[in-house]
Amino acid sequence: QQPVQSPQAVILREGEDAVINCSSSKALYSVHWYRQKHGEAPVFLMILLKGGEQKGHEKISASFNEKKQQSSLYLTASQLSYSGTYFCGTEGDNNDMRFGAGTRLTVKP
Amino acid sequence: KAGVTQTPRYLIKTRGQQVTLSCSPISGHRSVSWYQQTPGQGLQFLFEYFSETQRNKGNFPGRFSGRQFSNSRSEMNVSTLELGDSALYLCASSLSFPGGFYGYTFGSGTRLTVV
Protein backbone atom coordinates (compact mmCIF):
# COMPACT_ATOMS: atom_id res chain seq x y z
CA GLN A 1 0.00 0.00 0.00
CA GLN A 2 2.99 2.29 0.44
CA PRO A 3 3.55 4.39 -2.71
CA VAL A 4 6.83 4.00 -4.59
CA GLN A 5 9.02 7.04 -5.09
CA SER A 6 11.78 7.51 -7.64
CA PRO A 7 14.57 8.34 -7.72
CA GLN A 8 15.75 7.51 -4.20
CA ALA A 9 18.28 10.32 -4.32
CA VAL A 10 19.30 13.12 -6.66
CA ILE A 11 22.09 15.68 -6.62
CA LEU A 12 21.72 18.98 -8.45
CA ARG A 13 23.59 22.20 -9.00
CA GLU A 14 21.82 25.44 -8.21
CA GLY A 15 19.57 26.43 -11.09
CA GLU A 16 19.02 22.91 -12.38
CA ASP A 17 15.65 21.19 -12.57
CA ALA A 18 14.47 17.96 -10.98
CA VAL A 19 11.48 15.67 -11.16
CA ILE A 20 10.41 13.31 -8.39
CA ASN A 21 7.89 10.60 -9.15
CA CYS A 22 5.35 8.86 -6.96
CA SER A 23 3.42 5.78 -8.01
CA SER A 24 0.66 3.83 -6.31
CA SER A 25 -0.88 0.43 -7.00
CA LYS A 26 -4.35 1.53 -5.89
CA ALA A 27 -6.88 4.14 -6.93
CA LEU A 28 -6.13 7.51 -5.41
CA TYR A 29 -8.27 10.32 -4.15
CA SER A 30 -5.43 12.73 -3.48
CA VAL A 31 -1.67 13.07 -3.37
CA HIS A 32 0.25 15.15 -0.85
CA TRP A 33 3.85 16.31 -1.12
CA TYR A 34 6.05 17.16 1.88
CA ARG A 35 9.65 18.23 2.37
CA GLN A 36 11.70 17.32 5.41
CA LYS A 37 15.00 19.00 6.19
CA HIS A 38 17.53 17.19 8.32
CA GLY A 39 16.48 17.14 11.96
CA GLU A 40 13.18 18.86 11.27
CA ALA A 41 9.55 17.85 10.87
CA PRO A 42 8.10 17.27 7.39
CA VAL A 43 6.46 20.37 5.97
CA PHE A 44 3.40 20.32 3.71
CA LEU A 45 4.09 21.57 0.18
CA MET A 46 0.94 20.85 -1.78
CA ILE A 47 -2.03 18.63 -2.35
CA LEU A 48 -3.40 17.37 -5.64
CA LEU A 49 -6.99 16.21 -5.67
CA LYS A 50 -8.78 13.79 -7.92
CA GLY A 51 -10.39 15.96 -10.53
CA GLY A 52 -7.44 18.29 -10.90
CA GLU A 53 -7.79 20.89 -8.15
CA GLN A 54 -4.44 21.85 -6.66
CA LYS A 55 -3.35 23.94 -3.73
CA GLY A 56 0.20 24.44 -2.58
CA HIS A 57 3.60 25.97 -2.92
CA GLU A 58 4.12 28.86 -5.33
CA LYS A 59 7.61 27.89 -6.57
CA ILE A 60 7.18 24.14 -6.93
CA SER A 61 4.60 22.44 -9.12
CA ALA A 62 3.18 18.96 -9.46
CA SER A 63 0.96 16.85 -11.64
CA PHE A 64 -1.46 14.04 -10.85
CA ASN A 65 -2.39 11.37 -13.37
CA GLU A 66 -5.45 9.71 -11.86
CA LYS A 67 -5.65 6.95 -14.45
CA LYS A 68 -2.04 5.89 -13.93
CA GLN A 69 -2.19 6.57 -10.16
CA GLN A 70 0.97 8.60 -10.47
CA SER A 71 2.14 12.01 -9.39
CA SER A 72 5.26 13.98 -10.21
CA LEU A 73 6.81 16.89 -8.34
CA TYR A 74 8.67 19.45 -10.45
CA LEU A 75 11.39 21.64 -8.97
CA THR A 76 12.62 24.20 -11.44
CA ALA A 77 15.66 26.46 -11.12
CA SER A 78 16.54 24.75 -7.85
CA GLN A 79 17.87 26.74 -4.92
CA LEU A 80 20.05 25.62 -2.02
CA SER A 81 16.98 25.81 0.20
CA TYR A 82 15.33 23.04 -1.82
CA SER A 83 17.65 20.46 -0.27
CA GLY A 84 15.91 17.88 1.88
CA THR A 85 13.93 14.67 1.65
CA TYR A 86 10.70 14.81 -0.30
CA PHE A 87 7.81 12.52 0.58
CA CYS A 88 4.66 11.85 -1.32
CA GLY A 89 1.58 10.80 0.60
CA THR A 90 -1.28 9.06 -1.14
CA GLU A 91 -4.86 8.93 -0.01
CA GLY A 92 -7.01 6.09 -1.23
CA ASP A 93 -10.77 5.94 -1.56
CA ASN A 94 -11.01 4.34 1.88
CA ASN A 95 -9.50 7.48 3.41
CA ASP A 96 -6.13 6.00 4.34
CA MET A 97 -2.95 8.05 3.97
CA ARG A 98 0.35 6.33 3.20
CA PHE A 99 3.77 7.85 2.56
CA GLY A 100 6.58 6.78 0.27
CA ALA A 101 10.13 6.07 1.44
CA GLY A 102 11.27 9.51 0.35
CA THR A 103 13.61 11.08 -2.22
CA ARG A 104 16.73 12.78 -0.90
CA LEU A 105 17.47 15.93 -2.87
CA THR A 106 20.81 17.70 -2.52
CA VAL A 107 21.39 21.05 -4.20
CA LYS A 108 25.01 22.17 -4.44
CA PRO A 109 26.34 25.66 -5.20
CA LYS B 1 -0.54 29.96 16.48
CA ALA B 2 1.07 27.08 18.34
CA GLY B 3 2.14 24.12 16.26
CA VAL B 4 1.88 20.42 16.98
CA THR B 5 3.57 19.64 20.28
CA GLN B 6 5.07 16.25 21.01
CA THR B 7 6.47 15.21 24.35
CA PRO B 8 8.95 14.08 25.32
CA ARG B 9 11.47 14.96 22.60
CA TYR B 10 13.89 12.21 23.53
CA LEU B 11 13.42 8.96 25.38
CA ILE B 12 15.68 6.05 26.26
CA LYS B 13 14.03 2.84 27.39
CA THR B 14 15.10 -0.71 28.10
CA ARG B 15 13.83 -3.74 26.20
CA GLY B 16 10.63 -5.06 27.73
CA GLN B 17 9.52 -1.75 29.15
CA GLN B 18 6.56 0.23 27.91
CA VAL B 19 6.38 3.84 26.80
CA THR B 20 3.71 6.50 26.29
CA LEU B 21 4.17 9.36 23.85
CA SER B 22 1.99 12.44 23.79
CA CYS B 23 0.80 14.72 21.01
CA SER B 24 -1.11 17.98 21.25
CA PRO B 25 -2.50 19.03 17.87
CA ILE B 26 -3.00 22.52 16.55
CA SER B 27 -6.02 24.14 18.14
CA GLY B 28 -9.11 23.25 16.13
CA HIS B 29 -7.56 20.22 14.45
CA ARG B 30 -9.59 17.10 15.13
CA SER B 31 -7.54 14.53 13.24
CA VAL B 32 -4.30 13.13 14.67
CA SER B 33 -2.07 10.58 12.94
CA TRP B 34 1.01 8.77 14.14
CA TYR B 35 3.97 7.67 12.03
CA GLN B 36 7.18 5.77 12.69
CA GLN B 37 10.21 7.05 10.82
CA THR B 38 13.39 5.04 10.42
CA PRO B 39 16.28 5.58 7.98
CA GLY B 40 15.39 4.27 4.55
CA GLN B 41 11.82 3.31 5.48
CA GLY B 42 10.18 6.67 5.21
CA LEU B 43 7.06 7.31 7.21
CA GLN B 44 5.31 4.14 8.30
CA PHE B 45 1.68 4.71 9.21
CA LEU B 46 0.64 3.62 12.69
CA PHE B 47 -2.90 4.93 13.17
CA GLU B 48 -5.20 7.89 12.71
CA TYR B 49 -7.81 9.26 15.08
CA PHE B 50 -10.65 11.62 14.42
CA SER B 51 -13.04 12.82 17.13
CA GLU B 52 -11.77 10.17 19.56
CA THR B 53 -12.34 7.32 17.10
CA GLN B 54 -9.60 5.30 15.44
CA ARG B 55 -10.31 5.61 11.71
CA ASN B 56 -7.39 3.69 10.29
CA LYS B 57 -4.64 1.44 11.54
CA GLY B 58 -1.35 0.44 9.91
CA ASN B 59 0.40 -2.91 9.88
CA PHE B 60 2.00 -2.80 13.29
CA PRO B 61 1.73 -5.43 16.04
CA GLY B 62 -0.78 -5.08 18.83
CA ARG B 63 1.96 -3.78 21.12
CA PHE B 64 1.34 -0.43 19.48
CA SER B 65 -1.82 1.30 20.59
CA GLY B 66 -3.19 4.77 20.81
CA ARG B 67 -6.09 6.89 21.85
CA GLN B 68 -7.48 10.36 21.43
CA PHE B 69 -9.12 12.47 24.08
CA SER B 70 -12.07 14.82 23.84
CA ASN B 71 -9.71 17.81 23.51
CA SER B 72 -8.09 16.08 20.48
CA ARG B 73 -4.84 15.39 22.31
CA SER B 74 -3.53 11.95 21.52
CA GLU B 75 -1.29 9.41 23.16
CA MET B 76 0.55 6.48 21.70
CA ASN B 77 1.65 3.51 23.78
CA VAL B 78 4.17 0.82 22.99
CA SER B 79 4.36 -2.14 25.33
CA THR B 80 7.10 -4.74 25.67
CA LEU B 81 9.63 -2.63 23.80
CA GLU B 82 11.99 -4.26 21.31
CA LEU B 83 15.27 -2.96 19.92
CA GLY B 84 13.59 -2.56 16.53
CA ASP B 85 11.17 -0.04 17.98
CA SER B 86 13.95 2.54 18.10
CA ALA B 87 12.80 5.29 15.76
CA LEU B 88 11.50 8.82 15.43
CA TYR B 89 7.77 8.87 16.14
CA LEU B 90 5.96 11.68 14.42
CA CYS B 91 2.52 12.98 15.14
CA ALA B 92 0.57 14.96 12.56
CA SER B 93 -2.68 16.87 12.88
CA SER B 94 -5.15 18.16 10.34
CA LEU B 95 -8.47 19.93 10.26
CA SER B 96 -10.33 17.00 8.84
CA PHE B 97 -9.98 13.32 8.19
CA PRO B 98 -7.77 12.08 6.66
CA GLY B 99 -5.57 14.93 5.49
CA GLY B 100 -7.92 17.62 4.38
CA PHE B 101 -7.30 20.31 1.81
CA TYR B 102 -4.45 21.87 3.77
CA GLY B 103 -2.54 18.67 4.49
CA TYR B 104 -0.97 17.58 7.71
CA THR B 105 1.06 19.62 10.16
CA PHE B 106 3.75 17.50 11.75
CA GLY B 107 5.28 17.79 15.19
CA SER B 108 9.02 17.62 15.75
CA GLY B 109 8.73 14.03 16.92
CA THR B 110 9.84 11.91 19.82
CA ARG B 111 13.16 10.13 19.36
CA LEU B 112 12.82 6.75 21.08
CA THR B 113 15.91 4.67 21.71
CA VAL B 114 15.51 1.15 23.06
CA VAL B 115 18.60 -0.38 24.65
Side-chain angles (χ1 to χ4, degrees):
Chain A
Q1 287 189 343
Q2 187 177 22
V4 177
Q5 286 186 235
S6 63
Q8 289 184 317
V10 59
I11 299 175
L12 300 173
R13 294 286 182 186
E14 264 188 301
E16 293 181 338
D17 302 340
V19 179
I20 300 172
N21 301 302
C22 176
S23 178
S24 175
S25 60
K26 61 178 185 178
L28 300 178
Y29 175 75
S30 72
V31 178
H32 295 209
W33 286 96
Y34 293 79
R35 177 173 62 209
Q36 184 179 31
K37 292 184 178 288
H38 184 69
E40 300 180 8
V43 173
F44 174 72
L45 292 176
M46 68 177 64
I47 181 172
L48 299 103
L49 298 174
K50 188 176 181 179
E53 193 172 2
Q54 174 181 330
K55 180 177 177 65
H57 202 279
E58 61 181 9
K59 294 185 178 180
I60 299 173
S61 63
S63 64
F64 179 21
N65 187 322
E66 300 162 30
K67 290 183 179 180
K68 293 186 177 180
Q69 293 141 212
Q70 295 175 344
S71 178
S72 294
L73 185 70
Y74 305 96
L75 301 102
T76 56
S78 59
Q79 306 169 17
L80 294 176
S81 62
Y82 284 7
S83 291
T85 300
Y86 289 79
F87 293 97
C88 71
T90 56
E91 178 194 348
D93 287 340
N94 59 344
N95 300 135
D96 59 334
M97 174 65 72
R98 299 290 185 272
F99 286 90
T103 296
R104 177 173 290 184
L105 178 73
T106 304
V107 181
K108 295 186 174 182
Chain B
K1 59 181 178 182
V4 177
T5 303
Q6 290 189 247
T7 56
R9 289 295 307 277
Y10 301 92
L11 208 50
I12 299 176
K13 289 287 188 178
T14 304
R15 273 182 303 174
Q17 286 186 313
Q18 76 165 25
V19 66
T20 299
L21 311 182
S22 179
C23 172
S24 293
I26 289 175
S27 178
H29 283 195
R30 297 167 64 189
S31 174
V32 174
S33 301
W34 288 89
Y35 292 88
Q36 180 194 68
Q37 186 174 32
T38 53
Q41 294 298 314
L43 300 163
Q44 298 293 315
F45 174 71
L46 283 155
F47 23 66
E48 178 161 17
Y49 289 88
F50 182 79
S51 294
E52 302 178 67
T53 301
Q54 187 180 87
R55 297 291 183 172
N56 271 307
K57 190 177 189 302
N59 296 324
F60 278 80
R63 300 184 295 107
F64 292 80
S65 63
R67 59 179 176 170
Q68 186 180 32
F69 302 95
S70 58
N71 61 358
S72 293
R73 190 177 72 86
S74 178
E75 287 183 347
M76 188 191 102
N77 184 277
V78 187
S79 62
T80 320
L81 284 166
E82 301 177 358
L83 295 179
D85 296 334
S86 295
L88 179 67
Y89 290 87
L90 290 166
C91 163
S93 75
S94 62
L95 276 169
S96 60
F97 163 79
F101 196 60
Y102 297 94
Y104 291 100
T105 301
F106 282 85
S108 298
T110 293
R111 174 75 62 185
L112 172 65
T113 302
V114 182
V115 297

